[in-house]
Amino acid sequence: MTGSSNTSQGSEMSFLNHLEELRWHLIRATIAVVVMGTVAFILKDFIFDTLIFGPTKKDTFPTYKLLCKGAQFLGFEGTFCDTQFPFRIQSRTPAGQFSAHIWTSITAGFIVAFPYILYEFWRFVSPGLYRNERRSARGFIIVASLLFFTGVLFGYYVVTPLSINFLGTYQVSEAVFNDFDLSSYIGLVRACALASGLIFELPIIIYFLTSIGLVTPQFLRKYRKFALVIVLIISAIITPPDIASQVIVAIPVIVLYEVSIFISKAVIRRQNKKAKAHVK
């Protein structure tokens, strides 16, 4: 079946039929999140003791060991080489721990089920594409999932410990002791991981924006300076307000932006080749 026939069949579907199809894709994606979330709910000890509270354990978490060695190599230790944090995590509401368990499980379910969510999205949009377009984007799910998981790992192993180390050791006065609320702490870990995961999807976003003509390599190069400012602002939002942490987070995002320019250029080159072949 050719792409034109697929497109014509898609155009014959009514708006309500499209909504019905979209509804079932969303239902299947939601079921996948719930199933993975249920597994995460059962694995409570691993999710919380190992993953969620892992960045609070300075003596075992690998990032702090690397940062400590790096600081010692540069001639200073700072707070990275401390053996423990001067704060506690507490729950001050009757349903605080149960609520944290539920929402953390849902978040974990979303992260694990992300490739399937992309698959359902792809199943919804692919019938409207030509066969060559579907073939050229065959690796979309794999690449997008790898970028997302890489971003989540970067957020968990880099952004989260930097944020916790800064906020957990910062004091306006020795008379004030840090007692972090459970929901606030989990929200920090969740925001760092998910925000980084979504930011790492930048090349995929640029690919689709270039494919539909909204973005060009010239546009990306022209506004590179503005993009750098936006990257620094985003880095300042998801990291503590120290320059070192912002630079560490900004570097991979800048690299992703440069990769996105290359991807946009490749898309334009492929479109030009197709146009020339069509003219011949």
Side-chain angles (χ1 to χ4, degrees):
M1 183 180 293
T2 61
S4 58
S5 62
N6 284 340
T7 307
S8 62
Q9 285 182 358
S11 61
E12 292 175 357
M13 292 181 62
S14 67
F15 178 72
L16 292 179
N17 287 337
H18 280 295
L19 286 181
E20 178 67 14
E21 185 178 358
L22 176 61
R23 184 173 74 91
W24 280 107
H25 286 297
L26 292 176
I27 289 175
R28 285 190 290 267
T30 302
I31 292 175
V33 173
V34 171
V35 171
M36 293 296 100
T38 302
V39 175
F41 188 88
I42 296 173
L43 300 176
K44 179 184 68 173
D45 293 341
F46 173 75
I47 294 296
F48 283 91
D49 293 338
T50 302
L51 295 181
I52 298 298
F53 297 127
T56 66
K57 303 172 183 177
K58 275 198 167 184
D59 54 340
T60 59
F61 200 70
T63 304
Y64 298 122
K65 295 181 179 180
L66 293 175
L67 291 174
C68 178
K69 291 180 180 179
Q72 290 175 341
F73 178 78
L74 296 175
F76 64 92
E77 292 188 4
T79 60
F80 293 123
C81 297
D82 295 339
T83 57
Q84 59 183 0
F85 281 111
F87 66 81
R88 298 175 300 182
I89 300 174
Q90 60 180 350
S91 177
R92 295 179 294 175
T93 59
Q97 295 195 51
F98 181 74
S99 178
H101 191 186
I102 293 292
W103 286 108
T104 301
S105 300
I106 293 175
T107 302
F110 172 80
I111 293 174
V112 175
F114 188 77
Y116 184 79
I117 295 173
L118 288 179
Y119 171 70
E120 288 295 337
F121 169 77
W122 178 249
R123 287 184 60 192
F124 178 70
V125 302
S126 60
L129 302 177
Y130 290 98
R131 177 179 295 176
N132 58 342
E133 292 175 331
R134 293 199 303 271
R135 187 166 52 247
S136 62
R138 187 174 296 168
F140 159 73
I141 297 175
I142 297 176
V143 174
S145 298
L146 287 176
L147 286 173
F148 178 75
F149 289 137
T150 302
V152 169
L153 291 175
F154 178 80
Y156 178 74
Y157 281 106
V158 178
V159 182
T160 298
L162 287 174
S163 300
I164 293 176
N165 184 75
F166 178 82
L167 299 174
T169 58
Y170 185 84
Q171 284 183 297
V172 294
S173 171
E174 292 184 357
V176 181
F177 187 85
N178 286 328
D179 276 333
F180 296 154
D181 188 74
L182 176 62
S183 61
S184 178
Y185 170 80
I186 294 178
L188 174 65
V189 177
R190 179 175 60 242
C192 291
L194 289 181
S196 298
L198 295 177
I199 289 174
F200 270 59
E201 293 294 318
L202 180 62
I204 299 295
I205 296 173
I206 294 300
Y207 173 85
F208 282 105
L209 291 180
T210 304
S211 299
I212 61 179
L214 293 180
V215 170
T216 63
Q218 294 77 17
F219 175 85
L220 295 174
R221 292 193 189 98
K222 180 179 178 180
Y223 292 99
R224 181 188 276 115
K225 295 181 179 179
F226 298 98
L228 177 60
V229 173
I230 295 175
V231 167
L232 293 176
I233 292 175
I234 294 175
S235 301
I237 292 175
I238 65 176
T239 60
D242 62 285
I243 296 179
S245 300
Q246 294 177 16
V247 170
I248 291 174
V249 174
I251 288 176
V253 180
I254 293 174
V255 172
L256 287 172
Y257 187 84
E258 296 299 325
V259 170
S260 298
I261 295 178
F262 175 79
I263 292 175
S264 180
K265 185 177 180 180
V267 172
I268 295 297
R269 188 186 303 117
R270 188 188 63 193
Q271 290 178 343
N272 291 337
K273 287 183 180 180
K274 289 182 180 178
K276 291 180 180 179
H278 182 71
V279 171
K280 291 180 181 180

